[in-house]
Amino acid sequence: MRTMGRHVIAELWDCDLEKLNNVQFIEQTFVDAALRSGAEVREVTFHKFAPHGVSGVVIISESHLTIHSFPEHGYASIDVYTCGDLDPTVAANYIAEALGAKMREAVVVPRGMGPVIVGA
Amino acid sequence: MRTMGRHVIAELWDCDLEKLNNVQFIEQTFVDAALRSGAEVREVTFHKFAPHGVSGVVIISESHLTIHSFPEHGYASIDVYTCGDLDPTVAANYIAEALGAKMREAVVVPRGMGPVIVGA
């Protein structure tokens, strides 16, 4: 297994508030995102907070996808990290669209190649 | 819940090879790291790959900790993301020491504050 990977760190704002608080929708969206990017899903764990907010992860053979949603702020913090030849932006873009994010920012961080270098 | 958080992205090299392949050790180390940083543990999921390597996550009320280990390269890719007042470097340093990393590099990414800005 090669160590090389790419990690998308994305901040999604002005999302659909109901979707941000719907743990079933978010879990399905994340599994779909992983599969669309060609990843192999290994573990799926999502947690609904009271009164609102969802955190969760999909562990894939090629690393992971995570979310922390803040429905009260219309904000979701997501990470899509894939090793090998997969393109993490496929899943990140799918998630951003599914959550109805009107504003988003992302950086891509190369992983497993030595020094940590951050590129936009 | 405030959206503001800090996310440590750390690359650990020259780690103890046996520890990198020991899923029980890694899971316990990550739970301990979360608790030492003052976090509240919500979900714990770790996966052992064949023939080697461990991936896993601890979902905390304040976000998450993840690892992907590559024993064959002495490498572990870790993330510690905490919201609020917790200091993610406490857990990141604890993990690096527990895994015997002789070389490590890390960046801290502020999250949930608007634009993605990366600082060393």
Side-chain angles (χ1 to χ4, degrees):
Chain A
M1 188 89 181
R2 288 173 296 157
T3 60
M4 190 193 76
R6 285 181 290 168
H7 182 164
V8 172
I9 294 176
E11 308 283 67
L12 310 182
W13 297 93
D14 286 345
C15 297
D16 181 305
L17 304 187
E18 287 189 13
K19 288 177 177 171
L20 285 189
N21 209 29
N22 183 334
V23 66
Q24 291 84 6
F25 177 82
I26 289 176
E27 179 171 327
Q28 189 61 54
T29 296
F30 268 67
V31 170
D32 289 347
L35 296 175
R36 277 167 183 255
S37 71
E40 184 184 28
V41 172
R42 296 289 192 146
E43 308 278 353
V44 178
T45 302
F46 284 78
H47 187 90
K48 173 82 169 67
F49 291 94
H52 38 225
V54 172
S55 282
V57 63
V58 177
I59 298 282
I60 54 179
S61 295
E62 302 83 2
S63 294
H64 70 253
L65 300 82
T66 63
I67 184 169
H68 305 288
S69 81
F70 299 77
E72 70 276 34
H73 298 287
Y75 166 66
S77 168
I78 72 166
D79 290 74
V80 180
Y81 176 6
T82 59
C83 290
D85 296 327
L86 298 189
D87 178 358
T89 63
V90 171
N93 290 340
Y94 177 78
I95 294 163
E97 285 165 25
L99 295 177
K102 294 186 186 67
M103 189 168 67
R104 53 174 132 157
E105 301 203 350
V107 293
V108 181
V109 182
R111 304 288 300 255
M113 298 192 288
V116 183
I117 300 165
V118 179
Chain B
M1 188 89 181
R2 289 173 295 156
T3 60
M4 190 194 76
R6 284 180 291 168
H7 182 165
V8 172
I9 294 175
E11 308 283 66
L12 309 182
W13 298 93
D14 286 345
C15 296
D16 181 306
L17 305 187
E18 288 189 13
K19 289 177 177 171
L20 285 190
N21 210 30
N22 183 334
V23 65
Q24 290 84 8
F25 177 83
I26 290 176
E27 178 171 328
Q28 190 61 55
T29 296
F30 269 67
V31 170
D32 289 347
L35 296 175
R36 277 167 184 255
S37 71
E40 183 184 29
V41 172
R42 295 289 191 146
E43 308 278 353
V44 178
T45 302
F46 285 78
H47 187 89
K48 173 81 169 65
F49 291 95
H52 37 227
V54 172
S55 283
V57 63
V58 177
I59 299 282
I60 55 179
S61 295
E62 302 82 3
S63 295
H64 70 254
L65 299 82
T66 62
I67 183 170
H68 305 287
S69 80
F70 299 75
E72 71 276 32
H73 298 286
Y75 167 66
S77 169
I78 73 166
D79 290 74
V80 180
Y81 176 8
T82 60
C83 291
D85 296 327
L86 298 190
D87 178 357
T89 64
V90 172
N93 290 339
Y94 177 79
I95 293 163
E97 285 165 23
L99 294 177
K102 294 187 186 67
M103 190 168 66
R104 52 174 133 158
E105 302 202 352
V107 294
V108 181
V109 183
R111 305 287 302 254
M113 297 191 287
V116 182
I117 300 164
V118 178

